[in-house]
Amino acid sequence: MKAWFVYTLARLGIFAAALAVLLLVGLRWYWAAIGAALIGLLVSYIALPGLRGQVTSNIASRRGRPERDADSDFEDDFVDAADTDATGTDTATDTATEGPAVPPVSDTERHRSRREPDAD
């Protein structure tokens, strides 16, 4: 069986058992349901870490990983700029580049003019 199905059945079983016990104790149905939900949450957190780990790893493996995240271009530019010193010499290859190195600009700095009103 799939791990998420077993995990769901185990959590529902814990909830049902706690609900039955609380109803037999004599609590009203709504207090018994609230108490069973809390008890089920706590017991499943303590008793089912293996199943929970399998479910999360299964979900994570099905989720596609993007080739590049939102900041990867900025990070690459930042590293490239750090590799080139202010004199225009590429420290990685010791070759001269054209002009002084230009530090990268983050998206925050690039779009700041849109958010801030002009001081005119």
Side-chain angles (χ1 to χ4, degrees):
M1 264 192 225
K2 294 201 174 224
W4 63 268
F5 186 67
V6 174
Y7 182 68
T8 303
L9 286 179
R11 292 214 40 194
L12 286 174
I14 293 169
F15 173 79
L19 182 64
V21 168
L22 292 176
L23 286 173
L24 288 175
V25 169
L27 290 177
R28 294 183 186 222
W29 68 270
Y30 50 86
W31 290 115
I34 293 171
L38 291 174
I39 291 170
L41 175 72
L42 296 172
V43 170
S44 66
Y45 184 75
I46 294 169
L48 305 174
L51 282 174
R52 188 173 57 251
Q54 290 176 3
V55 171
T56 55
S57 65
N58 188 350
I59 291 171
S61 68
R62 284 191 288 153
R63 180 177 178 242
R65 300 193 56 76
E67 289 184 24
R68 301 181 74 82
D69 61 354
D71 292 332
S72 62
D73 290 332
F74 174 72
E75 291 169 359
D76 291 344
D77 292 342
F78 188 77
V79 169
D80 291 342
D83 287 342
T84 305
D85 62 9
T87 62
T89 303
D90 189 352
T91 57
T93 60
D94 288 332
T95 58
T97 58
E98 294 181 23
V102 177
V105 178
S106 70
D107 287 339
T108 304
E109 294 168 357
R110 194 175 293 143
H111 299 294
R112 182 172 287 143
S113 62
R114 291 187 201 171
R115 290 190 306 266
E116 294 178 358
D118 290 334
D120 295 330

